[in-house]
Amino acid sequence: QVQLVESGGGLVQPGGSLRLSCAASGSIFYIYAMGWYRQAPGKQRELVARITSGGSTNYADSVKGRFTISRDNAKNTVYLQMNSLKPEDTAVYYCNADIRPVGDYWGQGTQVTVSS
């Protein structure tokens, strides 16, 4: 069993910042990649940012230059620093872990609301 526990969501004004954290625990052999996805009401879940064990990253075009993903391999934890937040960033953010060889795991989601 693998558990992903997210924290750090909340309500923030436009232009503000939030930092999300996600810690993986349980029967983990090797986490190849960890990432953050988001889903806004009425929309499909989309990739926000992803980072591999080697440190390679990729970002959605909509968050490039504003969001930064980082990872602490020793703690099996991934972070998402979100700056210059916009109302369109409002969504439920989900942590994802690609654990080899067993597959994908998801967190329960954390709400991020950007509103004045």
Side-chain angles (χ1 to χ4, degrees), residues 9-116:
L11 172 65
V12 64
Q13 292 186 343
S17 298
L18 283 174
R19 188 188 193 215
L20 305 183
S21 300
C22 172
S25 62
S27 302
I28 298 170
F29 180 67
Y30 172 57
I31 303 179
Y32 172 69
M34 297 186 78
W36 291 94
Y37 291 71
R38 68 187 180 187
Q39 188 166 18
K43 295 188 177 181
Q44 290 188 333
R45 189 174 297 189
E46 62 176 359
L47 173 69
V48 176
R50 186 173 181 264
I51 184 169
T52 68
S53 59
S56 297
T57 59
N58 61 295
Y59 294 90
D61 287 343
S62 59
V63 307
K64 285 180 181 177
R66 300 188 297 122
F67 292 9
T68 302
I69 191 168
S70 60
R71 177 174 170 175
D72 186 332
N73 289 334
K75 296 181 179 179
N76 291 329
T77 299
V78 65
Y79 307 95
L80 185 69
Q81 179 66 44
M82 304 186 293
N83 299 328
S84 302
L85 282 160
K86 304 175 181 180
E88 51 264 43
D89 295 317
T90 295
V92 178
Y93 284 69
Y94 296 91
C95 177
N96 171 269
D98 177 357
I99 298 175
R100 305 292 171 88
V102 291
D104 276 336
Y105 286 84
W106 294 90
Q108 78 283 0
T110 185
Q111 177 71 45
V112 171
T113 302
V114 185
S115 175
S116 55

